[in-house]
Amino acid sequence: DDDVRSAAATAFAAQGPVAAKHVRDIAKLTTDNEKKRGVRCAAALALGSLGQASQPHLECLQDLLRQGDPKLRRAAAQAYGRLPKGVVGAQDVEMLETMSRRDAMDDVRAAAKASLAALR
């Protein structure tokens, strides 16, 4: 059920690093295999809350930043701002910088700027 998957991802986000043992399953929910946008957004935000455990799965957030759907891009940008500085790589920062200047949507640009500020 879509609502259950979304609620589970949100619950994992609330638990933060304690839920790190589920990071692989949460990362899977961000992919194109998951058809519900709300589930994908909740999973992205959960990844942002899992700290160091999320590092091997940052490509999932990068993929969301490239999506046509602005809600997915915004969720990914917000997730980066929740991660510790040492987890986020130079390529991720570069993508956020580009997004903060060039994204067509104001709220996505604002989310990217806020995450960049949190990472500095």
Side-chain angles (χ1 to χ4, degrees), residues 57-119:
H57 305 284
L58 291 182
E59 73 275 358
C60 295
L61 294 180
Q62 293 170 5
D63 288 344
L64 290 176
L65 290 177
R66 295 182 190 104
Q67 294 293 312
D69 186 328
K71 291 188 184 213
L72 293 174
R73 295 195 311 274
R74 183 181 67 219
Q78 290 170 330
Y80 276 109
R82 296 178 175 191
L83 289 167
K85 294 176 188 177
V87 172
V88 179
Q91 179 182 0
D92 302 291
V93 171
E94 184 178 313
M95 290 179 77
L96 287 169
E97 287 174 344
T98 300
M99 179 172 279
S100 74
R101 293 187 311 269
R102 296 185 184 166
D103 198 275
M105 303 300 292
D106 290 340
D107 60 335
V108 177
R109 286 193 310 274
K113 287 176 186 176
S115 289
L116 287 166
L119 292 168

Side-chain angles (χ1 to χ4, degrees), residues 31-68:
T31 68
D32 288 336
N33 292 332
E34 174 56 57
K35 300 302 178 197
K36 297 295 181 176
R37 175 178 59 196
V39 174
R40 294 178 76 189
C41 289
L45 294 172
L47 277 181
S49 299
L50 297 180
Q52 185 70 34
S54 294
Q55 193 167 32
H57 305 284
L58 291 182
E59 73 275 358
C60 295
L61 294 180
Q62 293 170 5
D63 288 344
L64 290 176
L65 290 177
R66 295 182 190 104
Q67 294 293 312

